[in-house]
Amino acid sequence: MQNKQTVLIIDDIEENIDILERQLNTEGFTVLTANEGPKGLHILKNQSIDLVLLDINMPVLDGITLLDNIKEDTSLSHVAVLMVTANEDINTALICLKKGACGYITKPYSMKQIKQQIDYCFNQ
C-alpha cells in the first residue's frame, strides 16, 4: 500500500532516524528528517508535513517544548505529533497527550507498534 503522507522524524540520534526512515520508506511514506528541534521546526514551517515522530530528550530544543511550539502555531497545529522516546515516565506521557500529541510510544519499539500508532494518529 502506498501512502501519500509525509512524515518528519525529529531525533538527535542518527541511528534512530536511519532505522525509522528506512522502515517508513518501505511502507510508502515520504520521509523528511531533522537531528535537532530548531531544524525540525524550520522544516515544519517550510514543508507540508502530515505527522511528526518526535523524540523528547534532545539538546537545544527538547521535544515537549517543540510540541508546544507546534500546537501553539495556528499554521502548524493541525500536524499530528507522535512522541517516540526512551522516557517511560507515565506523567511525561500524560503531559504530552494533554499538550496535543496524538500518541506516545517508548523505545525500544517494534515497527508494528509504530504503524499502529501512526494509523491511530491519522484516523483521529
Side-chain angles (χ1 to χ4, degrees), residues 83-102:
M83 308 306 286
V84 181
T85 182
N87 188 340
E88 294 184 30
D89 179 49
I90 189 68
N91 290 325
T92 303
L94 291 172
I95 288 168
C96 292
L97 295 171
K98 285 181 182 177
K99 291 179 177 280
C102 62

Side-chain angles (χ1 to χ4, degrees), residues 1 5 30 36 39 47 51 53-55 58 69 73 80 86 89 91 93 106 108-109 112-114 120-123:
M1 176 175 103
Q5 292 97 349
T30 300
E36 63 179 13
K39 183 178 177 185
Q47 300 283 328
L51 173 73
L53 297 179
L54 179 58
D55 185 29
M58 295 185 293
N69 288 330
D73 185 326
D89 179 49
N91 290 325
T106 57
Y109 51 79
K112 181 179 178 181
Q113 290 172 306
I114 292 286
Y120 175 78
C121 288
F122 282 136
N123 292 309

Side-chain angles (χ1 to χ4, degrees), residues 6-10 17 21 24-25 29-34 43-44 46-49 51 53:
T6 300
V7 176
L8 172 61
I9 302 166
I10 306 174
I17 290 174
E21 183 177 21
L24 293 172
N25 277 329
F29 290 97
T30 300
V31 181
L32 301 174
T33 66
I43 292 169
L44 276 163
N46 293 286
Q47 300 283 328
S48 179
I49 304 295
L51 173 73
L53 297 179

Side-chain angles (χ1 to χ4, degrees), residues 6-75:
T6 300
V7 176
L8 172 61
I9 302 166
I10 306 174
D11 195 317
D12 60 320
I13 300 174
E14 289 294 330
E15 183 180 349
N16 294 340
I17 290 174
D18 292 343
I19 291 167
L20 279 171
E21 183 177 21
R22 276 194 310 272
Q23 292 171 332
L24 293 172
N25 277 329
T26 299
E27 294 295 320
F29 290 97
T30 300
V31 181
L32 301 174
T33 66
N35 61 359
E36 63 179 13
K39 183 178 177 185
L41 191 56
H42 177 77
I43 292 169
L44 276 163
K45 291 184 176 189
N46 293 286
Q47 300 283 328
S48 179
I49 304 295
D50 299 298
L51 173 73
V52 177
L53 297 179
L54 179 58
D55 185 29
I56 289 180
N57 298 316
M58 295 185 293
V60 184
L61 181 60
D62 68 89
I64 294 175
T65 303
L66 183 52
L67 174 63
D68 283 336
N69 288 330
I70 294 167
K71 293 305 176 180
E72 291 170 0
D73 185 326
T74 56
S75 68

